Amino acid sequence: MLEKTINIDLIQRAWELASYYHKDQVYAGPEEGQQIPYLTHLGAVAFEVQQAVSHRPELDAQLALLCAILHDTLEDTAFMPTELEALFGPPVLAGVQALTKNEALPDKRTQMLDSLDRILKEVPEVAMVKMADRICNLAPPPFYWNESKAVAYREEAALILDRLGAADAYLASRLAAKIQAYPGS
């Protein structure tokens, strides 16, 4: 099978935009006072996706990487859908929109279920980004989380695995292992 080429300039443009839009964002680490630049998360998700698509040349690695890098821009920044589409095209916009929770819905579980339903209507690369995102988020929890928060997060990860696991066996295996090792297991 012919391997699809990646436009590295487009990937770097996405990274530059993500870096700009997430520049002031940080998240708490497992130790009190630890603040980690949000860009660390985006890189980790992109690394997970890159590893997964390297095993499957039939997939659109460029689409997967762009969605990985940009997956939180619509949810967490002022980056506009029209800009995203103009710069990266309709498939990337559709993927990122599916990965974006609809905060108008009443609660986090409903938002997650809605997003998973929309992800399942997209190409497998989008589901792979969501699994990679949760793999990375199953690092040691922030220092201020209590056990019930960690258990709920692990249970949500199990829901993601159940709904999206068929999209990629490699990432499904990684996610299952992370869930098993996560606090509250």
Side-chain angles (χ1 to χ4, degrees):
M1 176 162 277
L2 185 62
E3 208 169 308
K4 296 176 179 139
T5 59
I6 293 176
N7 178 341
I8 192 65
D9 292 327
L10 195 60
I11 300 295
Q12 290 174 349
R13 178 70 176 133
W15 187 258
E16 180 182 285
L17 280 169
S19 298
Y20 172 77
Y21 279 99
H22 292 282
K23 69 180 176 280
D24 296 325
Q25 295 175 349
V26 296
Y27 59 94
E31 297 176 26
E32 189 167 356
Q34 190 177 31
Q35 296 289 299
I36 301 167
Y38 197 77
L39 202 55
T40 303
H41 170 68
L42 300 178
V45 173
F47 298 150
E48 286 284 346
V49 167
Q50 177 63 47
Q51 181 64 22
V53 298
S54 73
H55 300 291
R56 298 184 54 197
E58 77 277 11
L59 294 177
D60 186 340
Q62 179 168 293
L63 174 64
L65 287 170
L66 289 170
C67 286
I69 293 166
L70 299 166
H71 78 272
D72 279 335
T73 54
L74 297 180
E75 190 169 288
D76 296 340
T77 77
F79 196 50
M80 300 300 297
T82 53
E83 294 176 272
L84 185 66
E85 183 176 28
L87 291 168
F88 303 105
V92 174
L93 174 62
V96 173
Q97 284 180 320
L99 293 159
T100 300
K101 289 182 214 71
N102 179 353
E103 295 183 353
L105 295 174
D107 56 61
K108 289 184 182 254
R109 180 162 176 83
T110 305
Q111 292 170 11
M112 177 59 71
L113 290 170
D114 171 68
S115 178
L116 293 173
D117 287 344
R118 288 183 284 118
I119 289 167
L120 285 168
K121 293 176 184 169
E122 297 297 326
V123 294
E125 291 87 341
V126 178
M128 292 169 68
V129 171
K130 183 61 181 177
M131 287 193 294
D133 178 45
R134 189 50 60 110
I135 288 166
C136 297
N137 285 341
L138 289 174
F143 68 91
Y144 56 86
W145 279 18
N146 61 31
E147 186 176 342
S148 66
K149 173 72 174 167
V151 167
Y153 201 72
R154 183 178 46 78
E155 288 172 357
E156 188 177 77
L159 172 66
I160 292 167
L161 177 59
D162 181 60
R163 296 288 304 276
L164 305 180
D168 186 75
Y170 170 78
L171 288 171
S173 175
R174 294 251 319 130
L175 182 53
K178 290 285 191 169
I179 291 168
Q180 184 64 32
Y182 201 68
S185 293

